[in-house]
Amino acid sequence: MTSGVIADSIVNLCGAIGLAVAMMTFYRRDPKSPLTWRLLMGLGVIAILFLDRGLAWWTGSVILDRLSVIPAALIPLGALIVTEGILRRHAPRAVKIAALGGGILLGVGGLLGLERFVMPYAITLALFQLAGFATCAFLLASRDRSALMASENRSIGRLAVGALVVIPFILTDFRTLFPHIPVRLGALGALLTVTVMLIAGGGAETRRHGLSLMALRLISSGLLGFAAAFMAPDVDLAQIVRFVAVAVAGVLTIGLMTDTLRALFESQEPGVLNSVAASPAQTRDQLIAELARHPIFESARRFREGELAPYDPPRLRDFPSSRRVLHRSEAPWGLAPIDPAAERMVSLMTANNATHVIVLAHDPLDMIVLAVPVTAADPATETALALVRRLLALTPEAK
């Protein structure tokens, strides 16, 4: 095998794995939604195409190569099915018949191996796919925006931008039309698209973080591929492009897998807030006992005003009432370093090897002192502590 065939195979196999992972994620998010099943159907056709082509080129199998034209010809039909689900209405009957009939004719024609008509067949298949995408884009652009929610209209806008970005990648798959392309990039374009789709499903802050992480992965993997290309004895521009494409496709696929597994593990292990929400506790002491089962609260100890006598409770009440969760690293918490209240709070934390103090009440004083492990100290934990404090403050004491 040549380096070009190897690169094509790896990129397509990565695309198949990445799309399969994305399908699992979409299914886990909303398994009963009709749109989810339409999306799974569309992505499934593309994943089968990438898997078939990757195996065909890697093994040199003519049969697998011919079979790959079937899912390739059905891509416009899959795109139309997803478009109908997004718009929540049927496409014109003529468009459906053209997508289905054209897919069947081109699929059967490619399966029969029209060897004498390679160029006309490739041109027809490319035009058919582009026409399918253009039709879907027209249906999305001419939609009744008032019939959809604002979030749905924003999602359609992002989808249209993604489609415009991915079309140049798709065109590189037609090696017959573009024989000098170093590596087929259709699978790489699909990986970029599904990665953005998964990121777009979160909130604004989550999207910003996700896009930043994606940019970091793209840049670092591209640089890695560029550097790795110089290990080959015959380095040229085509070889560099192949190495970069393989590295980027591999990193995106690994990123999708690790993100999905992390989300799966986190969903199976309830966090602090989930534990509180599911707790049958009726009093504050019972809820604190439930929290003690969570690793973050293993070291938690409650101090009422009588137990704080060595630390001069009237001084501790000098803290502003707006400060509900105190972090040891933020001392003296807006006060002077020699302020008696700050000194006593630092002494309380030091004596208990604590990193945080949750102030449940100022008068009389009621506090929880705990040590959050370094491995769990992140913004999400800080938010969880603040929310837990509010829940504890609203939970009544035992009568």
Side-chain angles (χ1 to χ4, degrees):
M1 289 190 295
T2 64
S3 59
V5 173
I6 295 174
D8 288 342
S9 302
I10 295 176
V11 171
N12 274 265
L13 291 175
C14 287
I17 296 172
L19 289 183
V21 173
M23 291 168 63
M24 293 171 56
T25 302
F26 287 126
Y27 177 79
R28 187 173 59 83
R29 287 181 176 179
D30 193 358
K32 296 183 179 180
S33 170
L35 178 57
T36 299
W37 285 100
R38 288 173 176 266
L39 188 59
L40 294 180
M41 186 180 300
L43 292 177
V45 171
I46 302 174
I48 292 173
L49 169 64
F50 293 153
L51 178 62
D52 194 338
R53 290 197 311 191
L55 294 176
W57 296 333
W58 189 272
T59 61
S61 173
V62 177
I63 295 178
L64 289 177
D65 193 31
R66 290 184 178 180
L67 286 173
S68 68
V69 300
I70 297 178
L74 293 176
I75 286 178
L77 178 62
L80 184 62
I81 291 174
V82 174
T83 301
E84 286 185 329
I86 294 175
L87 297 176
R88 299 202 302 271
R89 66 181 179 87
H90 289 285
R93 186 178 181 85
V95 174
K96 291 183 178 181
I97 294 175
L100 179 60
I104 294 175
L105 289 176
L106 288 172
V108 172
L111 184 61
L112 296 177
L114 303 178
E115 301 294 342
R116 295 175 297 171
F117 308 102
V118 174
M119 181 62 71
Y121 178 82
I123 294 175
T124 304
L125 180 59
L127 292 177
F128 180 66
Q129 289 187 350
L130 292 177
F133 291 136
T135 301
C136 293
F138 174 78
L139 292 175
L140 292 173
S142 60
R143 69 188 182 278
D144 181 6
R145 288 171 171 77
S146 62
L148 300 174
M149 297 184 295
S151 59
E152 291 176 320
N153 283 313
R154 286 194 298 268
S155 298
I156 291 175
R158 298 190 191 105
L159 184 62
V161 173
L164 291 176
V165 172
V166 80
I167 285 177
F169 290 90
I170 295 174
L171 292 176
T172 63
D173 282 355
F174 293 92
R175 185 61 61 78
T176 305
L177 303 179
F178 305 98
H180 301 297
I181 295 293
V183 59
R184 293 177 170 94
L185 299 174
L188 181 57
L191 284 172
L192 291 171
T193 302
V194 296
T195 302
V196 173
M197 289 172 62
L198 292 173
I199 293 173
E205 190 69 20
T206 303
R207 285 198 299 271
R208 283 194 292 269
H209 293 165
L211 291 174
S212 299
L213 184 59
M214 178 181 173
L216 177 61
R217 287 173 176 170
L218 291 175
I219 294 172
S220 58
S221 59
L223 292 175
L224 175 62
F226 180 82
F230 289 91
M231 294 189 299
D234 53 341
V235 181
D236 55 13
L237 180 59
Q239 196 74 340
I240 292 175
V241 172
R242 295 186 188 107
F243 271 84
V244 171
V246 169
V248 172
V251 168
L252 286 178
T253 303
I254 294 171
L256 287 171
M257 290 191 294
T258 53
D259 292 344
T260 301
L261 282 176
R262 184 187 301 112
L264 179 62
F265 293 152
E266 290 177 353
S267 65
Q268 292 176 346
E269 181 180 352
V272 177
L273 298 180
N274 288 336
S275 300
V276 173
S279 173
Q282 300 295 320
T283 65
R284 187 175 295 177
D285 284 333
Q286 292 175 349
L287 187 55
I288 293 174
E290 289 282 344
L291 287 171
R293 300 177 183 178
H294 196 278
I296 294 178
F297 285 88
E298 283 181 344
S299 63
R301 181 182 174 187
R302 186 180 183 184
F303 286 89
R304 293 181 175 87
E305 184 159 320
E307 300 167 294
L308 293 170
Y311 301 97
D312 194 357
R315 293 287 188 184
L316 294 179
R317 290 197 203 101
D318 291 341
F319 275 93
S321 59
S322 60
R323 290 194 173 274
R324 301 300 190 179
V325 180
L326 304 177
H327 195 300
R328 177 67 179 85
S329 64
E330 297 175 355
W333 306 288
L335 303 177
I338 59 173
D339 186 274
E343 289 181 340
R344 283 158 177 75
M345 185 61 73
V346 170
S347 298
L348 174 63
M349 290 185 169
T350 303
N352 292 274
N353 296 317
T355 61
H356 292 74
V357 171
I358 300 176
V359 182
L360 301 179
H362 279 80
D363 191 11
L365 280 174
D366 191 357
M367 301 179 177
I368 295 179
V369 180
L370 70 156
V372 176
V374 175
T375 54
D378 56 19
T381 299
E382 299 293 332
T383 302
L385 291 177
L387 293 175
V388 166
R389 182 264 156 202
R390 183 177 292 272
L391 292 172
L392 286 172
L394 295 174
T395 305
E397 293 280 11
K399 296 181 181 179

